[in-house]
Amino acid sequence: MPDPTLIIALDFHDARTALDFADRLNPDECRLKVGMELYTAAGPELIDTLARRGFDIFLDLKFHDIPNTVAAAVRVATGLGVWMVNVHALGGRRMLEAARDAVETSGSRTKLVAVTLLTSMNAEALAQLGWVNGFNESVLMLARLSAECGLDGVVCSALEASALRQAMGQGFCLVTPGIRPSGYSSDDQSRIVTPMEAKRLGADYLVIGRPITRADNPGQVLQKILGELKA
Ligand code: C5P
């Protein structure tokens, strides 16, 4: 079974555009991420259509609510057969445990990961929230909490990946957005890393959107990245 490292963020505003784009991709080469925009537009039906085309889906809705509500939402997500679903680690221990229990009792193999700190945040944004410990320490604390609560891993910047890999061991899944091949715009991301560097730093899965989805020739950019990752 192929285990693609690359997860393409299908950040489109309707199902038609997303499906046309997915038609140009090979499920043996990449997984797909459906986030808030596309899910709000197209819902569970699109997840089902993409899954029927052979893609593993990461449902990136970053649930963050009271434990009961999050658990219920996670249960529904597992019922959609998604490969991965996420919650915010900032929801705290009870919420994380409720989410984990929801996956366990569903009997599904859906991976549950927690967002630590968004890759769009910089040091100033962190300080504005009163987080005085900086990224590495804050992300490590949230990752430890997620592991203690039985989650499969976290979403973090690849900049934090090597410290997390060292602290959390091999079995803990690190999913890293904020991926930019050199020479590409950082867009609204702050803590960015190239695909090869992210892999070298210990990321298991790389999430990449606009450098591919907004490219003049998405297939070419994708193949270039896949080639670099294989090398
Ligand atoms: O286009 P770009 O490569 O910046 O897309 C990154 C994707 O990863 C977006 O869909 C964004 O919502 C998501 N994401 C992120 N940072 C996180 C969690 C998810 O950028 N911490």
Side-chain angles (χ1 to χ4, degrees):
M1 272 292 282
D3 181 20
T5 306
L6 218 55
I7 304 175
I8 312 247
L10 277 189
D11 291 327
F12 295 110
H13 63 272
D14 64 25
R16 188 68 270 147
T17 317
L19 289 171
D20 285 349
F21 192 85
D23 274 345
R24 301 155 75 178
L25 303 171
N26 175 354
D28 288 345
E29 291 182 335
C30 61
R31 294 181 156 99
L32 300 178
K33 184 175 85 62
V34 175
M36 297 177 188
E37 181 188 13
L38 185 57
Y39 193 79
T40 304
E45 203 182 314
L46 178 79
I47 302 292
D48 191 48
T49 309
L50 291 169
R52 282 177 198 278
R53 294 184 187 186
F55 289 100
D56 278 347
I57 309 297
F58 171 15
L59 185 63
D60 175 24
L61 298 180
K62 301 184 184 69
F63 297 134
H64 188 179
D65 207 318
I66 59 172
N68 184 61
T69 303
V70 167
V74 168
R75 208 169 296 121
V76 175
T78 63
L80 297 176
V82 297
W83 165 73
M84 179 178 275
V85 64
N86 61 1
V87 296
H88 265 288
L90 291 170
R93 179 178 293 276
R94 280 176 54 225
M95 193 207 83
L96 293 169
E97 288 175 346
R100 177 213 56 208
D101 288 348
V103 174
E104 278 179 8
T105 55
S106 75
S108 83
R109 299 178 62 179
T110 302
K111 286 181 195 293
L112 177 66
V113 295
V115 176
T116 52
L117 295 174
L118 296 169
T119 43
S120 55
M121 289 184 72
N122 57 19
E124 190 190 354
L126 201 61
Q128 280 165 358
L129 293 176
W131 287 62
V132 292
N133 291 334
F135 282 101
N136 281 344
E137 208 175 311
S138 306
V139 167
L140 185 59
M141 182 194 71
L142 293 168
R144 285 211 169 102
L145 178 65
S146 304
E148 279 168 25
C149 296
L151 272 71
D152 296 297
V154 289
V155 183
C156 60
S157 162
L159 293 172
E160 293 121 24
S162 87
L164 289 186
R165 178 61 68 220
Q166 226 175 354
M168 313 299 301
Q170 284 307 323
F172 197 65
C173 180
L174 302 179
V175 181
T176 62
I179 299 295
R180 289 292 179 274
S182 47
Y184 281 77
S185 158
S186 57
D187 302 304
D188 57 346
Q189 297 284 12
S190 291
R191 292 174 296 132
I192 58 170
V193 176
T194 66
M196 269 175 74
E197 185 64 359
K199 197 179 161 195
R200 193 188 67 75
L201 290 167
D204 294 296
Y205 299 105
L206 317 185
V207 176
I208 182 162
R210 287 162 288 184
I212 294 177
T213 55
R214 303 289 181 263
D216 291 337
N217 188 339
Q220 201 175 50
V221 180
L222 174 62
Q223 290 310 320
K224 187 163 177 286
I225 295 171
L226 288 172
E228 283 175 12
L229 289 175
K230 253 188 233 152

